[in-house]
Amino acid sequence: MSSLKLAAAQYPIIEHQSWDGYCAHIEKWVLEAQGGGANLLLFPEYGAMDITALMGNDLRQDLSGQIEALQDFLPDFLRLFSGLAQQQALWIVAPSIPVRVGSEYRNRAYVFGPQGQQDYQEKLVMTRFEREVWNIAGGTEPRVFETAFGTFGINICYDVEFPLIARSQIEAGASLILAPSCTDTLAGYYRVRLGAQARALENQCFVVQSPTVGEALWSPAVDENRGAAGIYSPPDYGLPDDGVVLSGELDRACWIHADLDLKESARIRREGQVFNHRDWQDQSRLDRVQAVVLK
């Protein structure tokens, strides 16, 4: 099977009053996506930071302290999403969450399957805020996830702006790249979006973006969130001329839904106007750049 019904979240950071309230909120979002027919749900980067609303105000304002305190919630967080994936027979890419790994923290997007499958992708390239202020470290390993509907990779936010990450996943068999994101400016949103569209073009595959949206002024980590979910393809025969399969309304909390046939990637790679996927290797035969002085 290569077709799937996908839902990408434009997810708001909510100030929850209790853990039960958080669980009810997540369950409502999952059931809403499933009600739209989805069997693969994509939540955004750092969507789990709304859990920090349950901490005292001093801890909320402490960037280091809050991610340390988040570790106490991690087992319940994993059980929540794993349970929903199994109960509703869904694949879920959960909101990413900082996780302690040895002496450092890494940003992980966990994947949950309908038969209890569970794994994760770590963010690999860190932004200035993560590196210089938040002290969240990058992972080292791109992964692909093989499922009944096909194989996909995850590029967490900034990662999708670097072509070799997605390319390694495509060469490992992925025909879909998921890009959960969290950006506090329109410029940041468009950087991720343009990166996603470039990865769709050069790899002749689908790429899906899911952002956080709205204000959470109580949180110094995710206080402002701008963006729209999007599903992108290579612009080619039988696909949108601008490569935009679907784009959500900017900054609105909602799901966007699309039916995707992942066999389209193979068709375009075989029959397209151009062969970006095949011709990638031609870059390796180019000589060194020669500086030509024109004075």
Side-chain angles (χ1 to χ4, degrees), residues 3-155:
S3 62
L4 73 150
K5 296 180 180 291
L6 183 144
Q10 300 185 179
Y11 181 78
I13 303 297
I14 299 295
E15 190 172 9
H16 302 287
Q17 301 303 310
S18 68
W19 176 253
D20 287 345
Y22 173 75
C23 293
H25 174 73
I26 293 297
E27 182 176 5
K28 179 181 177 182
W29 270 77
V30 167
L31 293 178
E32 181 181 337
Q34 186 190 44
N39 53 23
L40 171 62
L41 280 53
L42 175 62
F43 282 92
E45 178 188 38
Y46 290 128
M49 294 307 296
D50 53 1
I51 295 173
T52 63
L54 305 179
M55 302 173 186
N57 189 60
D58 288 347
L59 202 50
R60 286 186 188 187
Q61 301 303 312
D62 182 348
L63 286 170
S64 297
Q66 65 182 225
I67 59 174
E68 181 179 349
L70 266 177
Q71 307 314 298
D72 294 336
F73 291 90
L74 182 61
D76 288 336
F77 175 85
L78 298 178
R79 278 192 290 269
L80 170 64
F81 281 95
S82 180
L84 287 169
Q86 293 176 72
Q87 293 160 20
Q88 307 305 325
L90 298 169
W91 287 93
I92 301 176
V93 179
S96 83
I97 184 170
V99 174
R100 186 190 297 117
V101 181
S103 61
E104 62 188 21
Y105 293 94
R106 297 182 185 177
N107 180 11
R108 283 186 178 175
Y110 282 90
V111 178
F112 300 95
Q115 274 79 53
Q117 303 96 323
Q118 179 177 315
D119 214 300
Y120 60 84
Q121 174 64 62
E122 292 178 336
K123 190 171 184 177
L124 305 176
V125 184
M126 312 315 288
T127 63
R128 291 192 62 195
F129 176 74
E130 289 168 310
R131 192 189 306 267
E132 299 172 14
V133 179
W134 216 2
N135 294 318
I136 296 181
T140 60
E141 182 182 61
R143 296 180 173 186
V144 295
F145 304 90
E146 298 178 4
T147 73
F149 61 77
T151 301
F152 67 90
I154 300 172
N155 288 189

Side-chain angles (χ1 to χ4, degrees), residues 151-168:
T151 301
F152 67 90
I154 300 172
N155 288 189
I156 301 176
C157 200
Y158 195 36
D159 284 351
V160 84
E161 299 179 35
F162 296 89
L164 296 183
I165 296 173
R167 186 65 189 186
S168 68

Side-chain angles (χ1 to χ4, degrees), residues 260-277:
L260 296 182
D261 184 351
L262 300 187
K263 290 197 300 289
E264 285 292 275
S265 290
R267 180 184 68 81
I268 291 300
R269 291 170 184 174
R270 184 178 64 248
E271 303 172 359
Q273 300 173 53
V274 291
F275 293 121
N276 304 78
H277 175 266

Side-chain angles (χ1 to χ4, degrees), residues 160 188-198 209 228 232 242 244 247:
V160 84
Y189 156 64
Y190 279 109
R191 280 195 299 271
V192 176
R193 173 174 172 161
L194 290 170
Q197 290 197 257
Q209 182 180 1
Y232 309 114
D242 60 359
V244 181
S247 184

